[in-house]
Amino acid sequence: DAGVIQSPRHEVTEMGQEVTLRCKPISGHNSLFWYRQTMMRGLELLIYFNNNVPIDDSGMPEDRFSAKMPNASFSTLKIQPSEPRDSAVYFCASSRRGSHNSPLHFGNGTRLTVT
Amino acid sequence: DAKTTQPPSMDCAEGRAANLPCNHSTISGNEYVYWYRQIHSQGPQYIIHGLKNNETNEMASLIITEDRKSSTLILPHATLRDTAVYYCIVRVGDNNDMRFGAGTRLTVKP
């Protein structure tokens, strides 16, 4: 099993540009989570999906952030327009909902730098 | 979800047992205790979880008090590679959102 795959690993962009982060969950997992991590705020849950449907997006900081899950094997987190304060490491995680107490499996993250 | 309280940092000597405490005094009857760790710059890694009974796997042991208001993660023989931030989380078992606190930064020293 390849685990949760995130791309790119590093992204450097200028303020105002659109940024798209990508995630491929573990095959067979039907829940997907997006987290953001900064020194100041720690690890924050942004949004999570069950069976490709967004369940709770209360952690999404602003309308500039959007997430989609068009199918069971792919999700994107988009920031448009990006700002320097969006600089952080973004993690994607997946789990098997309905399987008793299935833990989350995390990817290695995307380090985003907005200049 | 119930909140958890963990000490911000701990040290442990290499080869000794590391005992990481967690308080979750408002835990509900259907909430499980999960432990994850995060080694610098990597994604969090699942360690172990439990409901009432003590649990053990190849990585660690989890001791939950009878009233379930606190728990302890035990790394029986800590190595330098166990240096990480350890997170204790409680959540309902059916895959609701999982929210991380500040965790405990464990430093294993030679």
Side-chain angles (χ1 to χ4, degrees):
Chain A
D1 191 341
V4 175
I5 299 173
Q6 293 187 245
S7 63
R9 286 300 310 274
H10 302 274
E11 177 79 37
V12 180
T13 190
E14 293 183 347
M15 182 175 62
Q17 297 298 306
E18 177 179 295
V19 175
T20 299
L21 311 182
R22 297 173 175 79
C23 175
K24 177 178 170 56
I26 293 173
S27 177
H29 283 189
N30 53 6
S31 288
L32 184 138
F33 303 74
W34 281 101
Y35 287 84
R36 177 175 69 175
Q37 187 171 36
T38 62
M39 289 292 293
M40 292 295 294
R41 301 175 67 89
L43 199 59
E44 301 174 278
L45 176 64
L46 300 178
I47 185 172
Y48 73 96
F49 296 82
N50 286 340
N51 296 317
N52 313 337
V53 176
I55 301 301
D56 185 349
D57 64 354
S58 60
M60 297 285 264
E62 301 173 32
D63 291 344
R64 299 184 295 107
F65 285 70
S66 62
K68 294 182 180 180
M69 192 165 185
N71 56 61
S73 59
F74 184 66
S75 177
T76 59
L77 178 66
K78 185 176 294 186
I79 308 172
Q80 167 63 21
S82 59
E83 297 183 2
R85 59 188 167 135
D86 301 331
S87 297
V89 180
Y90 291 81
F91 289 103
C92 176
S94 71
S95 69
R96 191 192 310 271
R97 185 172 187 267
S99 174
H100 192 57
N101 309 316
S102 172
L104 272 61
H105 297 263
F106 283 79
N108 285 326
T110 294
R111 182 173 296 276
L112 173 65
T113 302
V114 183
T115 61
Chain B
D1 285 346
K3 295 185 184 297
T4 62
T5 303
Q6 299 178 254
S9 64
M10 294 181 62
D11 291 341
C12 177
E14 187 178 20
R16 303 296 295 270
N19 297 283
L20 292 92
C22 180
N23 287 320
H24 31 79
S25 58
T26 60
I27 192 170
S28 301
N30 61 347
E31 288 184 311
Y32 287 72
V33 180
Y34 288 78
W35 283 84
Y36 285 76
R37 73 179 182 183
Q38 187 174 25
I39 298 171
H40 180 63
S41 80
Q42 299 180 17
Q45 176 191 23
Y46 166 76
I47 300 173
I48 198 169
H49 74 278
L51 180 64
K52 296 180 182 179
N53 300 321
N54 298 336
E55 302 288 345
T56 296
N57 63 21
E58 65 278 5
M59 293 182 66
S61 294
L62 174 60
I63 308 299
I64 302 174
T65 58
E66 191 169 346
D67 63 8
R68 302 210 323 122
K69 292 185 177 182
S70 65
S71 60
T72 301
L73 179 74
I74 301 173
L75 308 178
H77 306 286
T79 71
L80 299 179
R81 288 178 293 180
D82 292 322
T83 292
V85 178
Y86 287 78
Y87 298 97
C88 169
I89 303 158
V90 295
R91 70 164 176 140
V92 174
D94 190 22
N95 208 33
N96 290 335
D97 59 81
M98 181 170 283
R99 299 180 187 267
F100 290 71
T104 295
R105 181 173 297 278
L106 175 69
T107 302
V108 181
K109 299 184 175 181

